[in-house]
Amino acid sequence: MDSLIVIASLFLGSFLAATIIPFSSEVMFVAALESASVPAITLVIVAGIGNTLGGLTGYWLGSLGKWKWLEKYFRVSQQKVESFRGRAKKYGYWLALLCWTPFIGDLLCIVLGFFRLRLAPVTVLMFVGKIGRYAVLAWLIS
């Protein structure tokens, strides 16, 4: 398989898997590793970047949310919203490390955007978590 096709497919698959589309980038990552046409470190970086950008798409969607929607549509009180906001400001950045987890990770990206945590630390920690997952997977397979 051509190296460029492997890289482009892995990037796209990793991006889509980090959005709300139910898709497993790990399957594509393992297939790309098995092709052996691209060095593992390159695949780890490409998958990490694609998955992080997909997570940031969720962050962006979350940032479009409004506090009043929580109260109106989910019947969450103002006091509860303020409590969540305080915890998100205190621990939220570290939650970005867990954005790689299946199902929960996509929601975490949206929540981080909803609480409008600063983009730079969220991006860095999200990338560290996501690239770490692919690095561990590559190490386990090799």
Side-chain angles (χ1 to χ4, degrees), residues 32-45:
L33 278 174
E34 297 293 323
S35 76
S37 64
V38 180
I41 187 69
T42 302
L43 296 175
V44 167
I45 292 168

Side-chain angles (χ1 to χ4, degrees), residues 82-108:
E82 290 303 322
S83 172
F84 289 146
R85 175 189 244 172
R87 280 185 270 168
K89 295 287 184 189
K90 187 173 183 180
Y91 303 111
Y93 295 109
W94 298 109
L95 290 175
L97 284 171
L98 300 175
C99 286
W100 64 269
T101 56
F103 306 112
I104 296 170
D106 298 340
L107 292 174
L108 284 176

Side-chain angles (χ1 to χ4, degrees), residues 97-141:
L97 284 171
L98 300 175
C99 286
W100 64 269
T101 56
F103 306 112
I104 296 170
D106 298 340
L107 292 174
L108 284 176
C109 293
I110 293 168
V111 167
L112 293 170
F114 183 81
F115 287 115
R116 292 167 180 78
L117 273 68
R118 289 183 307 141
L119 183 60
V122 167
T123 302
V124 169
L125 291 171
M126 187 185 298
F127 180 70
V128 167
K130 289 177 180 275
I131 203 168
R133 169 189 53 184
Y134 292 114
V136 167
L137 190 56
W139 175 74
L140 289 174
I141 290 177

Side-chain angles (χ1 to χ4, degrees), residues 57-71:
T57 302
Y59 175 94
W60 174 73
L61 287 171
S63 71
L64 298 175
K66 295 186 178 5
W67 290 101
K68 297 225 184 255
W69 294 353
L70 282 180
E71 292 176 295

Side-chain angles (χ1 to χ4, degrees), residues 2-54:
D2 183 39
S3 297
L4 187 58
I5 293 172
V6 170
I7 289 171
S9 299
L10 180 60
F11 177 84
L12 182 61
S14 297
F15 175 84
L16 291 174
T19 62
I20 57 174
I21 298 170
F23 186 81
S24 175
S25 64
E26 290 84 359
V27 173
M28 288 191 75
F29 182 76
V30 170
L33 278 174
E34 297 293 323
S35 76
S37 64
V38 180
I41 187 69
T42 302
L43 296 175
V44 167
I45 292 168
V46 166
I49 291 171
N51 213 242
T52 300
L53 291 174

